[in-house]
Amino acid sequence: MTTTQVLSNATFSEVVNGRRSVRNYDPTFKISKEDMTELLTEALRAPSSSNVQPWRFLVIDSQELKDKLLPIAYNQQQVAEASAVIAVLGDLESYKLVETIYNRAHEAGYMPEATKDAFISRTTQMYSSLPPDVARKIIYTDGGLVSMQLMLSAKARGYDTVPMGGYDAEKFLEAFGIGERYIPIMLIAIGKAAKEGHPSVRLTVDEVVRWNDFTL
């Protein structure tokens, strides 16, 4: 039985509590394209506004390209050592795939044709006319949701991750030929830990949660 098969039986609580931000990776360990595809497929189940799914991904697993990314990410060693770095991007024109999404929903029997046509018309019109700041806010929210789901899926499969916001976004877009249509959300290094991530503490529920009346 493989590590992935063993961990597939882990409880959600074990996955959540076992996840750490890992910065030291085994550079000899490589995640197969098949397993990465399955992991990303699970991540894509994350919710998004109107199911528009504005996330796009660039998987960088070539050593040459990871080394190219290294100085752009301020020489954080996990970029070069991890099995891959996944760039999570947001598509400012994601509404152009709304017709595809809702047609598939109709074909799967999830909605009648009239509802599908109404959703396509309404959603396309609304998202294509959003003010830029509103569109970006939606994309960043949805991008955060899919990123967390990706990291939990990775942990359930026995892999480790670390989300990264410390990189030169403009240089990254230029170096990898990514057009203005896309905005960078974060980078996620993924692989097998060579050293466990540091344990961390969290504020308690009593410190951050209020019931029915928000007074902190």
Side-chain angles (χ1 to χ4, degrees):
M1 184 175 289
T2 67
T3 300
T4 297
Q5 289 171 322
V6 170
L7 289 175
S8 67
N9 295 321
T11 67
F12 181 72
S13 179
E14 289 170 335
V15 171
V16 169
N17 288 294
R19 188 205 63 78
R20 296 282 187 274
S21 290
V22 170
R23 292 175 173 80
N24 298 99
Y25 290 87
D26 177 356
T28 67
F29 180 82
K30 297 300 177 186
I31 299 174
S32 70
K33 185 174 182 180
E34 178 185 12
D35 211 18
M36 186 71 81
T37 299
E38 291 179 0
L39 185 160
L40 286 163
T41 299
E42 290 181 348
L44 296 181
R45 300 300 302 173
S48 64
S49 177
S50 300
N51 198 30
V52 172
Q53 305 166 54
W55 43 65
R56 306 290 180 261
F57 305 89
L58 173 62
V59 179
I60 304 169
D61 61 1
S62 153
Q63 192 61 51
E64 179 183 357
L65 292 179
K66 288 188 293 178
D67 291 342
K68 178 180 178 179
L69 178 59
L70 184 60
I72 296 172
Y74 307 129
N75 294 309
Q76 298 179 75
Q77 197 58 33
Q78 64 264 25
V79 169
E81 294 178 345
S83 179
V85 176
I86 301 174
V88 183
L89 306 166
D91 185 358
L92 291 167
E93 298 179 14
S94 56
Y95 59 86
K96 292 183 176 180
L97 287 178
V98 163
E99 187 171 353
T100 297
I101 293 168
Y102 286 120
N103 277 334
R104 289 179 184 173
H106 169 62
E107 291 165 4
Y110 298 155
M111 61 175 61
E113 186 171 9
T115 302
K116 177 260 293 184
D117 291 341
F119 272 38
I120 290 173
S121 176
R122 183 169 63 246
T123 305
T124 301
Q125 181 178 9
M126 180 176 70
Y127 281 83
S128 63
S129 60
L130 285 174
D133 60 327
V134 175
R136 286 174 178 267
K137 182 178 179 181
I138 292 171
I139 286 172
Y140 278 118
T141 298
D142 292 345
L145 290 169
V146 78
S147 296
M148 189 70 251
Q149 186 137 316
L150 189 158
M151 288 186 284
L152 292 177
S153 176
K155 187 60 185 176
R157 291 170 175 273
Y159 305 135
D160 299 286
T161 58
V162 59
M164 303 166 58
Y167 62 99
D168 189 317
E170 289 187 7
K171 287 184 178 179
F172 167 72
L173 295 174
E174 180 180 358
F176 287 86
I178 299 170
E180 295 182 356
R181 170 174 172 170
Y182 305 99
I183 56 177
I185 307 293
M186 69 179 75
L187 302 177
I188 300 175
I190 179 171
K192 182 69 70 173
K195 180 181 177 181
E196 288 190 7
H198 292 294
S200 59
V201 298
R202 294 292 189 270
L203 296 171
T204 67
V205 169
D206 288 342
E207 290 172 314
V208 300
V209 177
R210 292 296 178 267
W211 304 91
N212 301 314
D213 179 24
F214 192 78
T215 305
L216 286 176

